Amino acid sequence: MRSPNFYTYAFLNTPDIPLYLPSGNLGQLLLIHGHKLSAVVEPGISLESSQNNDEEVIKMVLAHDRVICELSQQTTVLPLRFGTYFNSEETLLNHIESHAQEYQEKLDHIQGKTEYTLKLIPRKFEELAKVSGGNGRDYFLAKKLHYEHQKSFIGDQNREKNHLINLIMDVYRSSAIIQDYVEEVRLHLLVDRHDKTLLFKQVLTLQEKCPHWNLILGEPLPPYHFV
């Protein structure tokens, strides 16, 4: 017997026209209307019954992301974390009403926008090749020169990264989130749907200014990092 839970994928402004609701993890989705906001839900999902089944959990995670992506192609949605559910329609509606202002502000902020992830991957400095046929002095001179070039390369790379981040923050300001990892830098950008071509041109320009980095722009996604 299926549980009465309402697994919830996203909140959105109550639509004026019908939405196409994709299939969920087990069945068809429903749209539950509040006063001004609505919720996209799938009744009868029990996470507890699947929490010890890795394969089932992965399937549910993929379904969660797929549903949000398909919905976001039709309208602006506030994507919810995987595993969000309410045990009754009344509990869900009470939650929406009590957080209405917060959710409305978030929806207004991401209205008509999509998220891109720009990865900055540092290019590697070539390793020192042993000087063929050279004596010890030639090798150590070559090693010293290599070290100086490597130091200069790393310095240029760091300056380019800082310059690139500053340029992006000047353009996107509160619509950019930086994640600086050892192996790469990720920039999450909230971009107007109509500015896709402009973004591509900006990335090409930045790549020309930053030859010590490889810039990789991802596919458009729902604004996960901005809600």
Side-chain angles (χ1 to χ4, degrees):
M1 180 177 179
R2 296 181 70 182
S3 74
N5 292 335
F6 286 85
Y7 185 92
T8 310
Y9 290 91
F11 297 139
L12 66 157
N13 288 312
T14 299
D16 297 325
I17 58 175
L19 290 180
Y20 164 73
L21 297 178
S23 60
N25 182 59
L26 296 177
Q28 191 61 35
L29 305 185
L30 300 176
L31 198 60
I32 294 182
H33 299 296
H35 177 52
K36 292 183 179 180
L37 300 177
S38 298
V40 179
V41 306
E42 181 176 357
I45 296 292
S46 174
L47 297 180
E48 290 82 358
S49 63
S50 304
Q51 61 184 359
N52 295 322
N53 187 330
D54 291 343
E55 184 176 344
E56 187 65 24
V57 171
I58 291 173
K59 177 185 174 183
M60 294 177 72
V61 170
L62 293 176
H64 183 89
D65 286 342
R66 173 182 55 78
V67 166
I68 291 174
C69 286
E70 291 188 31
L71 290 170
S72 67
Q73 292 172 4
Q74 303 176 65
T75 187
T76 299
V77 299
L78 189 65
L80 301 180
R81 292 182 181 275
F82 171 74
T84 300
Y85 71 94
F86 298 86
N87 56 21
S88 71
E89 182 174 340
E90 181 182 6
T91 303
L92 169 58
L93 290 173
N94 287 338
H95 176 84
I96 291 177
E97 293 305 316
S98 63
H99 294 80
Q101 182 176 350
E102 173 192 350
Y103 292 154
Q104 190 63 63
E105 289 175 355
K106 290 183 176 181
L107 281 166
D108 291 344
H109 179 58
I110 63 175
Q111 182 68 38
K113 297 180 180 179
T114 190
E115 178 181 320
Y116 287 88
T117 297
L118 178 61
K119 292 184 179 181
L120 316 180
I121 301 177
R123 290 182 174 172
K124 295 182 179 180
F125 187 74
E126 293 183 4
E127 295 297 325
L128 175 65
K130 186 174 181 179
V131 180
S132 177
N135 57 34
R137 183 173 181 274
D138 292 334
Y139 173 77
F140 283 111
L141 286 174
K143 187 174 181 180
K144 179 181 178 182
L145 185 61
H146 170 86
Y147 172 76
E148 292 174 350
H149 287 167
Q150 184 182 45
K151 184 178 179 180
S152 176
F153 182 93
I154 294 174
D156 289 341
Q157 196 169 64
N158 288 332
R159 281 188 290 273
E160 284 181 6
K161 182 182 79 171
N162 293 332
H163 181 57
L164 189 151
I165 290 175
N166 288 336
L167 287 174
I168 290 179
M169 295 306 294
D170 284 344
V171 174
Y172 291 96
R173 300 184 184 278
S174 62
S175 298
I177 295 174
I178 303 170
Q179 294 177 324
D180 196 347
Y181 302 107
V182 174
E183 68 279 4
E184 67 183 28
V185 179
R186 295 181 187 177
L187 296 167
H188 303 289
L189 308 174
L190 190 62
V191 180
D192 191 288
R193 295 181 187 276
H194 301 297
D195 288 341
K196 178 180 178 179
T197 301
L198 176 60
L199 176 62
F200 288 173
K201 291 180 179 179
Q202 290 172 336
V203 171
L204 289 175
T205 300
L206 291 172
Q207 181 65 84
E208 293 175 354
K209 294 181 178 180
C210 302
H212 293 76
W213 294 82
N214 288 320
L215 274 59
I216 301 176
L217 185 65
E219 295 296 320
L221 294 171
Y224 292 114
H225 289 87
F226 296 90
V227 297

